Amino acid sequence: MKYTPRIHQLPPGLCNRIAAGEVVDRPAGVVKELIENSLDAGANDIEIFLENGGQELIRVTDNGSGMMEEELELAFSRHATSKISDFDDLWNIHTFGFRGEALPSIASVAQVRIESSSEFFRDDPEAMGAFLELSGGEIVQRGPCAYTKGTKIAIRDLFRNVPARLKFLKSASAEQKRITDIVARLAMAHESISFRLVAGNRELLRFRAEDDVRARLREVWPPDVADALFPFSASGEGISVAGFTAPPEKPHVRSDRLWLYVNGRSVSDKLLQRAVREAYKGRLLAREYPQSILFMTLDPADVDVNVHPAKSEVRFRDENRVFSIVMHAIRQALDAHGFNDAGVSAEQNNAVDNVFYEQTNLLKPEKKAAESTPAGFWGAADGWSAKPEQKSVDAEEVSFVPDFCPPQRDLLGKKTEFREIPPEFVKNAWTDQRKIQPICSENVCDAPAEYVASPLNQQQTFGAVIGPYRYLGQLGNSYLMLQDMRNDRENASFILLDQHAAHERVLVSQLQKRGVSGPAQTLVLPLDFTLHRAELERLEELWDTLISLGFSLKMRDLGTAKGVTVTSIPGMLSRENAASFLKESLSGSVSDLNALWAGMACKAAIKAGDSLSEDEALNLIRQWLNAEDREYCPHGRPCVLSWSIADLDRLFKR
């Protein structure tokens, strides 16, 4: 018979370590708990000092009400608190802490020294403070200390007695970044309190008591984002919301700039996140997130903050009411600031999943670029001729299109069976050379071209044929029109291709296969940037990647700030586009190498509004048809839309 262990009581030390894993899973969690204790103590000046990302030392000093000597030991006992007294208090919480778990949990996994002086003795010239030292949750020393208003607590060697927990910590710089984020978030909800964060001999953050939310956001968010924020507010039915949000054209790739507060508490609440994103519906792509800071105030009885060990999640009594007021507050602000034209119709917001057959206005044209299309723009396609020849062709020859599609799928991903075009149809007649440097010195496709133009009799029809499709022309200098050449009515369709999105996909496919090819461009006049604190951190993260992309960078010390000089850029970017790309990258608009490639491709690609010759259009189509994942651009927008005969019949109400 299998032995079953008997139920027994766990020792207090083990209980504290288990609780520590829930409450303080990393240095940032310790900092959060200690700052919240300072806020509950009424402090208006809080300083945080770190060593080695908080793993070696975390010291928090405040000028709050402090504690008396007999309270110090009690503060490190489990479930000892001054915040609540009975069950009813759980539904009327006005403080950050209330469980009495944080300090004993921290003390069980670190060495702790706390010094505190009670405000009750501030007028006594002979008053003394008291200190307490603990190791592994056990008191090792206690005694008096000099009187200084408030409390100073130092946490050393965090998780030193829990090696398994240490293995899950990130690098010192990564943990320090988490702490910086925690301090910034806490500071936003307490404008009347000054905060200072120092790591070694470097000041990471300083918020003065007179700084408002917008001024504080400028310290931690990129300037172009912070300056673009506009306010919103609403109230009703016992709930008030207020804050700032960014225009739709300044989205973020992650949700980490969606800061939410409920009664002054920073939370990560999915309901509030959905409400904010719903307000931006139709204005952002599925992979984009708004940049917003939202403060909600409501009766404590209407929100439960006791649903998560770290109190980072809440539960609302009336979720529908909360969702509605948040969504409408932000949506009304967006409309009031002229962001009501999202470029997507109401019908498209409710469209079915098949974007190719149901959506007709997803793509909003971009502003026309100043540059012309450079020579070599299409790589290997520069050598292909796509002009229809002026010669008679029998009807039988027209109906037989000796062309070839990829063996896996055609333009819309359907199976096709077309034969390869005979080599004699392949021409190398396009010799037009532009003045701008070519994007790539290498051919995009090593394999023989799968799509080339087929000559047709212009007396019978018009436009060159590429695969099973006929090119009909360019619409609005933004979209390429194609006709499906398969003759039966069921397969006939009209196709629109976004030239900018298609070229983005071509360039990203090239980068994914070969990286950045060709020599870098040395700039006669280097680019100089003065870096915001957030941009400097981002540059440190992206440094090696930017070098691999072809940028040459050199840091500059500007005294009170840092700067970077760019002396060379990738060959595929102009000077103006390189500067724009770097600004967007440092603002956090991209999150990984693929996103960087997408950003470079976006800057280098032809733009909506650029006029293309027939040769250029056909060569773009050919290379796009050979690209992977060609249905969507690197940002997730559709490259192509298609309407079958049935779709057109339905639109014309036949």
Side-chain angles (χ1 to χ4, degrees):
M1 180 181 295
K2 184 178 179 181
Y3 172 71
T4 302
R6 299 181 64 83
I7 297 174
H8 61 282
Q9 187 72 43
L10 295 177
L14 179 56
C15 291
N16 286 334
R17 293 186 186 183
I18 293 173
E22 297 178 336
V23 179
V24 288
D25 59 336
R26 57 189 344 110
V30 174
V31 172
K32 173 180 177 292
E33 295 293 341
L34 297 182
I35 292 178
E36 288 182 345
N37 282 344
S38 297
L39 294 172
D40 287 340
N44 58 25
D45 187 7
I46 302 173
E47 181 175 298
I48 307 97
F49 180 83
L50 307 174
E51 287 184 3
N52 194 30
Q55 297 179 41
E56 292 185 8
L57 173 64
I58 298 172
R59 185 173 64 235
V60 177
T61 306
D62 67 53
N63 63 347
S65 58
M67 291 177 283
M68 292 185 286
E69 182 178 2
E70 58 269 23
E71 290 180 300
L72 286 180
E73 182 176 350
L74 191 59
F76 287 89
S77 302
R78 287 184 62 78
H79 305 305
T81 181
S82 61
K83 318 296 175 57
I84 62 174
S85 299
D86 55 41
F87 179 77
D88 291 338
D89 290 340
L90 286 175
W91 302 103
N92 191 32
I93 293 176
H94 295 273
T95 58
F96 292 101
F98 54 86
R99 298 192 187 122
E101 290 183 316
L103 288 180
S105 297
I106 294 170
S108 68
V109 292
Q111 291 182 327
V112 179
R113 177 183 172 91
I114 184 171
E115 301 175 8
S116 190
S117 304
S118 175
E119 64 177 352
F120 294 113
F121 304 109
R122 62 179 179 270
D123 297 327
D124 185 353
E126 299 181 358
M128 297 286 291
F131 80 91
L132 194 67
E133 290 186 3
L134 303 94
S135 179
E138 301 294 329
I139 298 175
V140 295
Q141 193 174 0
R142 68 176 76 197
C145 66
Y147 181 88
T148 303
K149 182 185 178 184
T151 300
K152 178 169 67 175
I153 182 169
I155 312 297
R156 296 184 181 274
D157 300 328
L158 185 64
F159 301 128
R160 68 181 182 85
N161 55 352
V162 190
R165 177 67 63 182
L166 282 173
K167 295 179 181 179
F168 288 91
L169 295 183
K170 305 296 183 182
S171 65
S173 60
E175 295 298 338
Q176 179 176 293
K177 186 175 181 180
R178 289 176 180 265
I179 293 173
T180 304
D181 182 71
I182 285 290
V183 174
R185 288 175 183 259
L186 290 169
M188 294 303 149
H190 301 88
E191 300 177 42
S192 61
I193 301 175
S194 63
F195 292 81
R196 184 169 180 256
L197 174 62
V198 179
N201 58 0
R202 178 184 173 192
E203 183 178 85
L204 301 181
L205 288 176
R206 178 188 284 272
F207 299 112
R208 295 172 177 80
E210 61 270 17
D211 295 339
D212 59 14
V213 172
R214 187 187 287 272
R216 295 188 173 197
L217 281 174
R218 288 193 184 100
E219 291 293 315
V220 292
W221 287 8
D224 63 324
V225 176
D227 292 340
L229 296 173
F230 55 87
F232 64 88
S233 63
S235 61
E237 301 183 67
I239 300 175
S240 65
V241 295
F244 297 91
T245 195
E249 64 261 24
K250 290 190 177 294
H252 199 44
V253 293
R254 300 181 300 272
S255 61
D256 57 354
R257 288 201 193 130
L258 184 51
W259 291 9
L260 308 171
Y261 298 83
V262 176
N263 290 343
R265 186 188 303 275
S266 177
V267 299
S268 177
D269 185 76
K270 294 181 179 179
L271 176 73
L272 295 180
Q273 290 176 356
R274 290 200 307 270
V276 175
R277 296 204 70 183
E278 182 67 21
Y280 278 83
K281 185 175 181 180
R283 297 171 169 90
L284 297 178
L285 298 177
R287 300 178 183 179
E288 295 177 336
Y289 294 87
Q291 303 189 76
S292 309
I293 181 168
L294 178 146
F295 300 93
M296 172 176 287
T297 304
L298 72 167
D299 189 335
D302 291 334
V303 57
D304 186 1
V305 299
N306 192 27
V307 296
H308 189 273
K311 301 182 286 292
S312 61
E313 298 178 7
V314 295
R315 183 177 297 140
F316 298 101
R317 176 171 293 180
D318 191 340
E319 293 185 345
N320 291 335
R321 182 164 52 114
V322 169
F323 183 94
S324 177
I325 194 169
V326 170
M327 181 191 68
H328 285 98
I330 297 179
R331 181 175 289 176
Q332 289 171 5
L334 288 168
D335 292 343
H337 284 79
F339 300 112
N340 54 347
D341 182 11
V344 180
S345 67
E347 293 179 356
Q348 290 164 348
N349 282 333
N350 299 316
V352 297
D353 292 337
N354 192 341
V355 298
F356 298 121
Y357 293 95
E358 297 297 330
Q359 298 179 341
T360 60
N361 190 30
L362 276 175
L363 303 174
K364 187 175 181 179
E366 302 181 19
K367 294 182 180 180
K368 183 175 181 178
E371 303 93 43
S372 60
T373 307
F377 212 70
W378 314 114
D382 280 357
W384 296 106
S385 171
K387 291 187 177 180
E389 296 183 5
Q390 305 291 328
K391 69 176 184 179
S392 298
V393 180
D394 294 336
E396 291 79 19
E397 291 178 315
V398 174
S399 61
F400 167 71
V401 182
D403 218 338
F404 182 79
C405 285
Q408 297 86 4
R409 55 186 179 175
D410 69 354
L411 186 147
L412 297 177
K414 302 174 183 177
K415 295 286 186 178
T416 56
E417 295 182 0
F418 287 87
R419 290 181 287 175
E420 188 172 5
I421 186 168
E424 58 268 20
F425 279 93
V426 178
K427 305 294 181 183
N428 292 309
W430 192 40
T431 58
D432 176 41
Q433 296 295 319
R434 305 293 180 95
K435 295 180 180 180
I436 301 177
Q437 290 292 325
I439 281 181
C440 177
S441 60
E442 299 181 67
N443 294 335
V444 174
C445 301
D446 290 328
E450 294 178 348
Y451 293 92
V452 294
S454 178
L456 290 175
N457 185 356
Q458 288 193 335
Q459 294 179 355
Q460 286 191 343
T461 183
F462 63 92
V465 172
I466 188 164
Y469 310 107
R470 177 185 292 119
Y471 175 62
L472 304 179
Q474 189 182 26
L475 178 64
N477 288 343
S478 299
Y479 303 103
L480 306 182
M481 298 181 291
L482 301 170
Q483 175 191 353
D484 192 326
M485 283 290 294
R486 289 166 289 195
N487 294 324
D488 54 295
R489 175 181 170 85
E490 290 74 15
N491 287 326
S493 61
F494 174 67
I495 298 162
L496 278 181
L497 181 66
D498 182 336
Q499 63 189 36
H500 175 70
H503 195 204
E504 281 185 309
R505 174 51 64 191
V506 169
L507 294 176
V508 166
S509 296
Q510 172 192 341
L511 290 170
Q512 289 174 336
K513 290 178 181 179
R514 299 184 178 169
V516 179
S517 58
Q521 301 180 56
T522 301
L523 297 176
V524 177
L525 295 176
L527 294 168
D528 289 319
F529 297 93
T530 300
L531 300 176
H532 182 271
R533 180 184 287 110
E535 293 172 329
L536 178 60
E537 293 179 357
R538 185 65 177 156
L539 178 60
E540 292 172 351
E541 296 175 4
L542 296 177
W543 185 275
D544 292 339
T545 302
L546 292 174
I547 296 298
S548 69
L549 291 177
F551 290 94
S552 293
L553 310 170
K554 183 179 180 181
M555 293 299 301
R556 294 181 294 119
D557 191 347
L558 304 178
T560 58
K562 294 286 186 179
V564 63
T565 298
V566 183
T567 57
S568 63
I569 60 177
M572 69 185 297
L573 294 178
S574 67
R575 188 178 191 274
E576 180 183 356
N577 286 339
S580 177
F581 169 74
L582 285 173
K583 288 179 181 178
E584 291 182 5
S585 299
L586 297 181
S587 71
S589 299
V590 293
S591 58
D592 54 25
L593 182 58
N594 287 331
L596 284 171
W597 283 342
M600 288 182 65
C602 183
K603 299 301 178 185
I606 58 174
K607 304 299 188 290
D610 287 349
S611 177
L612 301 182
S613 69
E614 188 177 73
D615 284 331
E616 292 173 318
L618 287 164
N619 283 313
L620 170 59
I621 294 169
R622 185 187 71 78
Q623 294 209 35
W624 174 74
L625 287 169
N626 282 312
E628 294 291 332
D629 302 319
R630 62 175 177 264
E631 290 83 4
Y632 294 91
C633 83
H635 306 291
R637 295 187 298 113
C639 290
V640 60
L641 300 178
S642 176
W643 293 266
S644 67
I645 291 297
D647 296 323
L648 295 175
D649 287 345
R650 186 164 57 252
L651 290 173
F652 282 101
K653 301 187 182 302
R654 288 194 172 187

